[in-house]
Amino acid sequence: MALAAQELQQILAQGEGISVEFKQARKGIPRDAFETVCAFLNRQGGYLILGVRDDGQVQGVAAGLVEQLKRDFTTLSNNPNKLHPAMLLELTEISLDGQQLLYVYVPQSSQVHRCDNVVFDRGHEGDFRVTSDTDISQLYVRKSSFYTEGRIYQFLRMEDLRPELLPRVRTLIRNNRANHPWLALDDLEFMRQSGLWKRDYQTGQEGFTLAAALLLGRDEVIQNVLPHYRIDALVRRQDMDRYDDRVDIRTNLLDAYDQLMNFTTRHLPDKFFLQNGLRSSLRDFIFREVVGNLIVHREYINPTPASFIIYADRVEVRNANKPTHYGPINPEQFAPFPKNPTIANFFGQLGRVDELGSGIRNVTIGLREYAPGKQAGFIEEDVFRTIIPIPTSTVSDPLGFVFLVKLLVLYPA
């Protein structure tokens, strides 16, 4: 959020508060600067302004150090040993009263962050440590109600979206459900009903959301909104240091889904089964869920790139996450929690994902015949990890008789 000199003067006049912090920085980044960054991320965001005393008096930053301070700050913000999860931030230079100042706007995050392995929160008196398990748990609960996919971009316009995608979306919805109520809506009302355009009743802001940009935006718009967004799909069977094949995906989520599914088709063995009387791909049955979960459950403002890596005996998927707990997930006992409910619902209307929680269960069921005797791993942390064992041979059961029986019980015609 860029500031004009007049706006900065107004902030200085208001003084420090829950969303404003001043710090002196004549010789370097203040030692406690990232405690404030962490606190802002964990509370409601705010401005950190370097080169100002606590009382609002401008001191400035040494002109010869400006570029070094900017580099150091960006490096530290992206260092998980300093700030975890990392949040890539950049200082902006501004001149005021003949002095050079540096500032950054730190957004509210949907995750709980730590600075030097300590959780910090923010109050009107400044930053404070959160040490008790109860208070940390409450912070997670508060964060769980904040979905970054709903962030409003007031200056995002319909022309920033790819014009061919909405007709394609309507076709996919019609194929999935011919009488879907969204089909009768004009484009703007379609966006409202699907949650891609909304009004914030607390701030009065209204417009297209981050979810709209990710689902339907032009590639250059997505990269402008989220410069770090990418999905790295790799094959590492022979060349373990680099890769045997690679697709670097930086496009809208609809095309990203298709590109990942095509990648699995090219590089993964298949088995077949009969579903509702039709010969179907067991590979697609499993990886439809894996790819869908990668896309609809990712924490998109986290700069960690998603990866989809195919090895000789397994597929490993890594995805930035907003965890509700830490550790392995038991498919028989886990309680699913929505990470991006608008994106998930949108993909559900297209028929590309099922109800919340079905992905892990379907993968577990499918693996019984796709890779007999092996189990998938689902590990929930700040980066969610999925490990899918794959057959070491492409020989398949053409009828998939055993799996057919199970599917007919689970999915009767």
Side-chain angles (χ1 to χ4, degrees), residues 2-3 38 117 121 136 143 160 187-188 198 212 241 250 264 322 327 333 335 391 394:
L3 289 175
C38 180
N117 206 34
D121 203 349
I136 292 175
K143 292 286 186 178
D160 295 317
D187 287 350
L188 184 56
K198 74 174 192 177
D241 294 325
R250 301 172 188 254
T264 67
K322 182 172 68 175
Q333 299 177 351
T394 59

Side-chain angles (χ1 to χ4, degrees), residues 288-298 319 353 359-360 378:
R288 169 184 179 269
E289 304 290 354
V290 174
V291 171
N293 280 354
L294 183 157
I295 286 175
V296 304
H297 294 312
R298 179 177 179 179
N319 209 22
V353 299
I360 288 178
F378 306 97

Side-chain angles (χ1 to χ4, degrees), residues 222-255:
I222 296 172
Q223 288 301 308
N224 184 282
V225 172
L226 291 178
H228 55 264
Y229 162 70
R230 62 192 282 245
I231 303 171
D232 203 7
L234 303 169
V235 176
R236 283 182 176 154
R237 289 195 176 108
Q238 305 298 325
D239 191 338
M240 301 300 291
D241 294 325
R242 297 185 75 246
Y243 50 83
D244 307 323
D245 190 18
R246 181 183 189 183
V247 176
D248 186 9
I249 301 172
R250 301 172 188 254
T251 191
N252 67 81
L253 300 184
L254 303 179
D255 286 340

Side-chain angles (χ1 to χ4, degrees), residues 331-332 359-369 374 376 378:
E332 304 298 328
I360 288 178
R361 286 190 287 268
N362 287 345
V363 169
T364 302
I365 292 169
L367 278 177
R368 294 171 188 167
E369 294 302 322
K374 300 179 180 179
F378 306 97

Side-chain angles (χ1 to χ4, degrees), residues 226-389:
L226 291 178
H228 55 264
Y229 162 70
R230 62 192 282 245
I231 303 171
D232 203 7
L234 303 169
V235 176
R236 283 182 176 154
R237 289 195 176 108
Q238 305 298 325
D239 191 338
M240 301 300 291
D241 294 325
R242 297 185 75 246
Y243 50 83
D244 307 323
D245 190 18
R246 181 183 189 183
V247 176
D248 186 9
I249 301 172
R250 301 172 188 254
T251 191
N252 67 81
L253 300 184
L254 303 179
D255 286 340
Y257 176 93
D258 290 342
Q259 290 182 33
L260 280 172
M261 290 303 297
N262 289 336
F263 193 74
T264 67
T265 299
R266 292 203 309 270
H267 293 294
L268 290 177
D270 203 0
K271 292 184 178 182
F272 295 93
F273 65 95
L274 294 178
Q275 185 177 22
N276 297 328
L278 299 175
R279 190 171 184 263
S280 301
S281 164
L282 185 53
R283 176 197 59 219
D284 290 352
F285 176 82
I286 293 170
F287 284 95
R288 169 184 179 269
E289 304 290 354
V290 174
V291 171
N293 280 354
L294 183 157
I295 286 175
V296 304
H297 294 312
R298 179 177 179 179
E299 179 47 71
Y300 281 96
I301 68 166
N302 187 314
T304 305
S307 63
F308 184 99
I309 305 177
I310 298 175
Y311 296 98
D313 61 344
R314 69 194 186 281
V315 174
E316 292 192 8
V317 180
R318 294 171 62 87
N319 209 22
N321 182 44
K322 182 172 68 175
T324 56
H325 79 283
Y326 282 81
I329 289 176
N330 183 339
E332 304 298 328
Q333 299 177 351
F334 83 107
F337 185 87
K339 309 297 174 61
N340 295 299
T342 299
I343 294 174
N345 179 57
F346 197 91
F347 265 74
Q349 306 313 312
L350 306 182
R352 289 186 167 175
V353 299
D354 296 323
E355 72 274 7
L356 181 67
S358 64
I360 288 178
R361 286 190 287 268
N362 287 345
V363 169
T364 302
I365 292 169
L367 278 177
R368 294 171 188 167
E369 294 302 322
Y370 187 68
K374 300 179 180 179
Q375 294 183 336
F378 306 97
I379 301 95
E380 181 157 28
E381 296 173 338
D382 294 316
V383 174
F384 194 102
R385 291 185 295 137
T386 303
I387 303 169
I388 307 295

Side-chain angles (χ1 to χ4, degrees), residues 47-319:
Y47 284 99
L48 171 63
I49 304 173
L50 303 183
V52 181
R53 294 193 343 182
D54 291 346
D55 60 6
Q57 181 179 336
V58 175
Q59 287 190 324
V61 174
L65 291 177
V66 167
E67 292 303 318
Q68 184 63 49
L69 292 179
K70 291 165 71 173
R71 287 193 296 270
D72 290 347
F73 188 88
T74 298
T75 300
L76 287 170
S77 74
N78 201 37
N79 181 353
N81 293 320
K82 168 58 71 174
L83 183 67
H84 183 77
M87 173 67 71
L88 186 63
L89 298 167
E90 295 182 348
L91 291 169
T92 299
E93 182 180 353
I94 189 170
S95 180
L96 187 68
D97 298 335
Q99 300 284 350
Q100 296 300 110
L101 303 180
L102 294 169
Y103 73 89
V104 61
Y105 179 77
V106 182
Q108 179 182 358
S109 173
S110 62
Q111 298 177 285
V112 175
H113 293 260
R114 298 171 184 264
C115 175
D116 296 326
N117 206 34
V118 177
V119 176
F120 288 87
D121 203 349
R122 182 80 178 172
H124 289 283
E125 299 299 321
D127 313 320
F128 59 92
R129 292 170 177 253
V130 183
T131 56
S132 77
D133 291 341
T134 299
D135 290 340
I136 292 175
S137 296
Q138 289 176 347
L139 187 55
Y140 274 100
V141 170
R142 173 160 56 83
K143 292 286 186 178
S144 68
S145 64
F146 177 71
Y147 300 106
T148 54
E149 63 165 1
R151 180 178 294 174
I152 295 171
Y153 289 80
Q154 289 182 287
F155 300 107
L156 190 63
R157 300 287 182 255
M158 187 67 81
E159 55 265 30
D160 295 317
L161 309 180
R162 279 178 50 182
E164 74 276 15
L165 286 181
L166 267 178
R168 177 178 154 197
V169 164
R170 291 179 184 274
T171 298
L172 291 170
I173 291 175
R174 185 178 294 109
N175 291 341
N176 189 47
R177 181 181 169 190
N179 62 345
H180 197 291
W182 290 0
L183 297 174
L185 306 176
D186 62 38
D187 287 350
L188 184 56
E189 190 59 29
F190 180 99
M191 302 295 280
R192 292 177 190 269
Q193 291 296 320
S194 60
L196 303 184
W197 190 102
K198 74 174 192 177
R199 176 183 295 132
D200 187 319
Y201 290 98
Q202 288 184 314
T203 67
Q205 283 187 317
E206 58 184 19
F208 291 112
T209 63
L210 176 60
L214 286 166
L215 286 163
L216 303 173
R218 298 177 185 270
D219 290 358
E220 64 271 20
V221 172
I222 296 172
Q223 288 301 308
N224 184 282
V225 172
L226 291 178
H228 55 264
Y229 162 70
R230 62 192 282 245
I231 303 171
D232 203 7
L234 303 169
V235 176
R236 283 182 176 154
R237 289 195 176 108
Q238 305 298 325
D239 191 338
M240 301 300 291
D241 294 325
R242 297 185 75 246
Y243 50 83
D244 307 323
D245 190 18
R246 181 183 189 183
V247 176
D248 186 9
I249 301 172
R250 301 172 188 254
T251 191
N252 67 81
L253 300 184
L254 303 179
D255 286 340
Y257 176 93
D258 290 342
Q259 290 182 33
L260 280 172
M261 290 303 297
N262 289 336
F263 193 74
T264 67
T265 299
R266 292 203 309 270
H267 293 294
L268 290 177
D270 203 0
K271 292 184 178 182
F272 295 93
F273 65 95
L274 294 178
Q275 185 177 22
N276 297 328
L278 299 175
R279 190 171 184 263
S280 301
S281 164
L282 185 53
R283 176 197 59 219
D284 290 352
F285 176 82
I286 293 170
F287 284 95
R288 169 184 179 269
E289 304 290 354
V290 174
V291 171
N293 280 354
L294 183 157
I295 286 175
V296 304
H297 294 312
R298 179 177 179 179
E299 179 47 71
Y300 281 96
I301 68 166
N302 187 314
T304 305
S307 63
F308 184 99
I309 305 177
I310 298 175
Y311 296 98
D313 61 344
R314 69 194 186 281
V315 174
E316 292 192 8
V317 180
R318 294 171 62 87
N319 209 22

